[in-house]
Amino acid sequence: MKKVKFSFHNVRLSKKLLIMYIFSVLIPIVLTNIIFYTVTINNVKQQQIHDSQLALNQISDDFGKIIDDAVGISSSLYTNTNINLFLERDYPSDVDYVDDYDTYLRTFNQSSPINPSINSIRFYTDNPTIIYSGGVYPLTEEVKKLTWYKQLMKTNNTSPIVLNSMIDNQTSTFSIIRKLDYFNFNNKQKIVKIEINPATIEKIFKNVTFKGDVYLLNDKGQIEYSTKKDLAWREKPIPFTHISKSNKTVFLNSTDLDQAYLQNWKVVGTLSEKTMLNTVNKSGRFILYLAFINIIIPTIIIILINRSFLRRLQRIFGHVKKMGDQNFEKIPDPEYTDEIGILTSEFNRMVRKIEELIQDVFMANIQKQEMEIKRNRAQLSALQSQINPHFLFNALETIRMRSLMKEEIETANIIHNMAKIFRNSLTWGKDMVTVRSEANLVVSFLEIQKYRFGEKLEYEIDIDEAAEQCMIPNMALQPFVENASIHGIEPLKGNGKISVKVTVNQDILTCIVMDNGVGMPEDKKEQILYSLENEDEMGKSVGIKNVFYRLKLYYSDQFRFYVDSEKEKGTIVTIKIPYKTSIIDKKIEISQNKLYFPK
């Protein structure tokens, strides 16, 4: 099966337009809008993440600042001699305590700058001589059972601790709690607890520029504060890892709080992609409308262009096909000035010209064919006349009779064979002979050659019985046997052999002439075949061309002929023709498989 090579020129014009539309209009527009939409989403997402990260860092900084302020106040109390002495002194009477309270504690409160982020400052002591009021509380057993007190007692350093504590059942805040053990006058236990204003905490964590949920995590990863409403973080410690999160949630981490008392604390934020992309989603419909317009307008233009010239081209194509049926019909089309209009005008002009010239050209072709036939007949007659010497036959017959009279039998046999050959040349009027007659002629020629070469030449004739009465052109094999003898065996240094084999298979007569002579190079073989194909002048290889042209005249395209030759190995000539027992037999189609025949 012949493999068809793909070419874009074989694609129909309508499909080419469709391909152009898909790859030049539809796909670029769709890809452009997809890329535009994707890039826009990513840019907005990155900008939202960047802005949210800044807001989260601001929350972390603000929270650290108010804790630092509270820790600064606790540090000033920690090193304040008067406050520590006030809390440890044994008061003989309530009046003495009130005087010291007004002198130290009230004075301290008045001298300190007002800080709105501080909700309250509470002092706890186990001094029994103090009147517990005005921010001073006793260290009772109930207080010692509280969580913040237990955690404070576990610390061995002098740094404060930061805890989330409840002001009431619904309000929580952060407390900075510190031991006042810098001075130890009377071995009294002193603690200061500074509570941050809950409104300040809420204001910090509810940053308007952060549109998600904020979590403050301690060093254990537990939630100390969160803006998420449905999360019960005030009731019990909740690890952040236990919070349910969707796959489309973005997590943002601020840098860890660098205060020593907030070691490994950090602020974490979560953002929903839906929230982040609300702005993009609002413009999604606009992008869709824009893409629709970008697709619909080029589509309409392509359709109009397609209708403008594709239908007119198809009409021209239809009229061209009609010309194959000798229907030279003009195209009834207005004379447009575009390329297709010019093509239509030229087609109509060509039709008019064909109608004017067809009769003259047709008659000229007939005359030319008749002249070609006469030329072939004249050429065939010339070829026949080249090998039709009557006088040689008479002379040879005289010499043969004298050789017999002198009892030169071998010479007489050779002359007899030569006479057969020349007698055959006198019967050119008989175009077809049997295979047996042709084989006898070949034997006569080979006997003459064997007389010349002696033991150097051997030959073998193998004719199928069914092929003996088959009709073939006169002297169809003898020229090839002659070439094998003269050009193949004669230049050979050693002995040579010529074989002639004729077989019949499936109504095909196959004639093979084979020798083991010097052969010929590939370029010479191709030159011979080329000259046969292009019907060059006779020149050299007269015998081969004579046979080839007569086969072509007798069998037209129903015969097959090829030459296989290799230098120093010999030459094989094969002819395949229809099997005939008479000249008027019906022609038989010849299989073309494994045959060489020049186009």
Side-chain angles (χ1 to χ4, degrees):
M1 183 176 180
K2 186 177 180 181
K3 186 176 180 181
V4 179
K5 186 177 179 181
F6 174 78
S7 174
F8 195 71
H9 297 293
N10 295 329
V11 181
R12 296 182 66 86
L13 186 59
S14 58
K15 293 183 179 179
K16 288 180 181 177
L17 289 174
L18 181 61
I19 292 172
M20 180 181 69
Y21 168 73
I22 291 175
F23 287 96
S24 300
V25 178
L26 184 61
I27 292 179
I29 290 176
V30 172
L31 287 179
T32 301
N33 284 276
I34 291 175
I35 293 171
F36 172 73
Y37 186 74
T38 303
V39 170
T40 303
I41 288 177
N42 289 333
N43 290 340
V44 171
K45 184 177 179 180
Q46 293 300 323
Q47 186 63 43
Q48 290 281 345
I49 292 175
H50 179 265
D51 295 343
S52 299
Q53 187 66 59
L54 293 178
L56 198 65
N57 292 339
Q58 183 65 41
I59 292 172
S60 179
D61 293 342
D62 291 345
F63 178 74
K65 185 176 181 301
I66 65 168
I67 297 298
D68 284 342
D69 291 344
V71 171
I73 295 174
S74 71
S75 298
S76 66
L77 294 172
Y78 180 72
T79 58
N80 191 306
T81 306
N82 293 329
I83 296 297
N84 282 272
L85 184 61
F86 164 72
L87 294 175
E88 285 196 50
R89 181 180 298 173
D90 293 328
Y91 296 100
S93 64
D94 294 341
V95 175
D96 293 330
Y97 170 76
V98 172
D99 289 340
D100 282 356
Y101 181 85
D102 291 336
T103 301
Y104 300 113
L105 191 57
R106 196 184 304 276
T107 302
F108 173 79
N109 291 334
Q110 292 176 353
S111 61
S112 299
I114 298 175
N115 191 334
S117 64
I118 303 301
N119 184 58
S120 65
I121 301 176
R122 298 186 180 189
F123 296 96
Y124 292 84
T125 181
D126 57 359
N127 189 347
T129 62
I130 289 178
I131 301 174
Y132 297 109
S133 63
V136 182
Y137 299 89
L139 274 173
T140 61
E141 293 299 324
E142 287 76 10
V143 173
K144 293 179 179 181
K145 293 179 181 180
L146 296 176
T147 302
W148 62 265
Y149 180 81
K150 293 178 180 180
Q151 286 190 262
L152 181 64
M153 292 300 105
K154 290 179 182 180
T155 60
N156 296 323
N157 51 34
T158 59
S159 299
I161 63 172
V162 180
L163 295 175
N164 192 313
S165 59
M166 299 295 295
I167 297 177
D168 52 38
N169 293 332
Q170 295 183 347
T171 306
S172 65
T173 188
F174 287 92
S175 299
I176 291 80
I177 307 171
R178 191 169 194 168
K179 299 176 185 178
L180 298 179
D181 54 1
Y182 187 76
F183 299 102
N184 192 359
F185 299 106
N186 292 322
N187 293 324
K188 298 293 192 299
Q189 187 178 9
K190 307 179 294 296
I191 298 173
V192 62
K193 182 181 180 185
I194 302 175
E195 295 180 346
I196 307 299
N197 191 338
T200 302
I201 299 294
E202 185 176 0
K203 181 179 179 181
I204 290 173
F205 281 92
K206 289 188 177 180
N207 192 309
V208 294
T209 58
F210 192 87
K211 300 179 180 179
D213 297 325
V214 181
Y215 302 87
L216 176 64
L217 308 181
N218 59 23
D219 55 348
K220 297 179 182 179
Q222 296 175 340
I223 298 174
E224 292 287 346
Y225 190 89
S226 176
T227 59
K228 191 173 183 180
K229 296 180 180 180
D230 57 348
L231 188 64
W233 56 270
R234 293 183 179 89
E235 300 175 3
K236 60 181 180 179
I238 300 177
F240 181 70
T241 55
H242 292 179
I243 302 298
S244 60
K245 313 166 188 78
S246 66
N247 294 331
K248 295 185 178 180
T249 301
V250 178
F251 295 89
L252 300 175
N253 291 334
S254 71
T255 55
D256 293 346
L257 298 169
D258 56 0
Q259 292 85 346
Y261 36 83
L262 294 174
Q263 191 73 28
N264 296 326
W265 284 46
K266 60 182 177 181
V267 178
V268 178
T270 59
L271 288 172
S272 171
E273 285 191 0
K274 183 178 179 181
T275 302
M276 293 172 58
L277 301 178
N278 277 337
T279 304
V280 178
N281 293 334
K282 291 179 182 178
S283 60
R285 184 174 298 177
F286 171 75
I287 295 175
L288 182 62
Y289 290 156
L290 183 62
F292 179 76
I293 293 173
N294 288 338
I295 292 174
I296 226 39
I297 292 178
T299 301
I300 294 174
I301 294 174
I302 289 293
I303 293 174
L304 293 176
I305 294 175
N306 178 62
R307 296 184 62 184
S308 173
F309 68 88
L310 186 58
R311 290 195 304 176
R312 289 191 291 158
L313 283 177
Q314 290 174 346
R315 181 161 50 181
I316 294 174
F317 177 70
H319 281 75
V320 171
K321 290 183 68 176
K322 290 180 180 179
M323 292 179 65
D325 299 329
Q326 306 298 321
N327 183 1
F328 300 99
E329 181 182 350
K330 296 180 181 179
I331 301 175
D333 198 8
E335 294 186 358
Y336 296 111
T337 57
D338 62 350
E339 287 78 0
I340 300 176
I342 295 173
L343 178 63
T344 303
S345 299
E346 291 299 317
F347 176 84
N348 291 336
R349 189 174 67 85
M350 179 185 67
V351 169
R352 290 194 298 271
K353 199 70 174 178
I354 290 174
E355 290 175 345
E356 293 172 1
L357 299 177
I358 190 168
Q359 293 299 326
D360 296 338
V361 173
F362 182 71
M363 295 303 298
N365 286 335
I366 292 177
Q367 293 175 1
K368 183 178 179 181
Q369 290 176 2
E370 291 178 351
M371 291 177 66
E372 185 69 21
I373 293 172
K374 291 178 180 179
R375 185 184 70 83
N376 290 337
R377 290 177 178 174
Q379 188 179 52
L380 184 57
S381 298
L383 288 171
Q384 294 172 350
S385 65
Q386 291 179 6
I387 52 175
N388 196 18
H390 290 267
F391 72 94
L392 285 178
F393 171 72
N394 296 328
L396 288 173
E397 187 64 24
T398 302
I399 296 172
R400 186 179 75 85
M401 295 301 298
R402 288 182 176 268
S403 297
L404 288 174
M405 292 173 65
K406 294 179 179 182
E407 296 183 353
E408 295 177 352
I409 304 303
E410 187 177 6
T411 303
N413 289 335
I414 295 303
I415 295 174
H416 179 66
N417 288 325
M418 292 182 64
K420 287 183 180 180
I421 294 175
F422 283 109
R423 184 183 294 110
N424 187 74
S425 68
L426 295 177
T427 59
W428 272 102
K430 188 177 181 181
D431 292 337
M432 305 294 287
V433 297
T434 63
V435 172
R436 172 51 59 191
S437 298
E438 184 70 15
N440 292 335
L441 181 64
V442 169
V443 170
S444 297
F445 175 80
L446 290 174
E447 285 294 326
I448 295 173
Q449 294 300 95
K450 191 170 180 62
Y451 179 76
R452 287 183 58 198
F453 299 122
E455 298 298 328
K456 182 178 181 179
L457 174 65
E458 293 183 3
Y459 68 87
E460 179 183 2
I461 309 295
D462 184 9
I463 309 294
D464 281 0
E465 184 177 352
E468 290 186 353
Q469 298 306 315
C470 180
M471 304 300 293
I472 62 174
N474 189 15
M475 293 190 72
L477 301 180
Q478 190 273 341
F480 299 109
V481 175
E482 182 178 350
N483 283 341
S485 173
I486 297 174
H487 302 293
I489 304 301
E490 185 174 350
L492 190 66
K493 293 182 180 180
N495 295 337
K497 182 177 180 180
I498 298 175
S499 298
V500 178
K501 185 175 182 180
V502 182
T503 60
V504 177
N505 185 20
Q506 296 181 353
D507 293 330
I508 302 299
L509 182 72
T510 302
C511 305
I512 300 175
V513 178
M514 178 173 57
D515 68 79
N516 62 345
V518 295
M520 56 182 160
E522 184 69 20
D523 56 346
K524 185 175 180 181
K525 183 189 78 172
E526 294 297 330
Q527 182 180 0
I528 293 173
L529 295 175
Y530 178 80
S531 65
L532 296 178
E533 178 182 356
N534 293 275
E535 299 187 3
D536 292 344
E537 293 297 326
M538 284 296 173
K540 298 180 180 180
S541 305
V542 175
I544 295 177
K545 293 180 180 179
N546 183 10
V547 174
F548 184 85
Y549 293 156
R550 285 191 294 123
L551 290 173
K552 195 171 183 180
L553 285 173
Y554 295 144
Y555 299 103
S556 183
D557 60 348
Q558 291 184 308
F559 82 100
R560 295 295 177 265
F561 170 85
Y562 68 88
V563 178
D564 184 13
S565 182
E566 188 173 352
K567 196 170 183 181
E568 306 301 335
K569 290 188 178 181
T571 303
I572 301 175
V573 176
T574 303
I575 300 173
K576 292 193 175 186
I577 59 178
Y579 177 79
K580 298 181 181 180
T581 57
S582 66
I583 299 177
I584 60 174
D585 281 351
K586 184 181 179 181
K587 293 183 179 180
I588 303 172
E589 293 294 333
I590 308 300
S591 171
Q592 297 185 14
N593 294 334
K594 301 182 180 179
L595 295 178
Y596 173 84
F597 179 64
K599 295 179 181 179

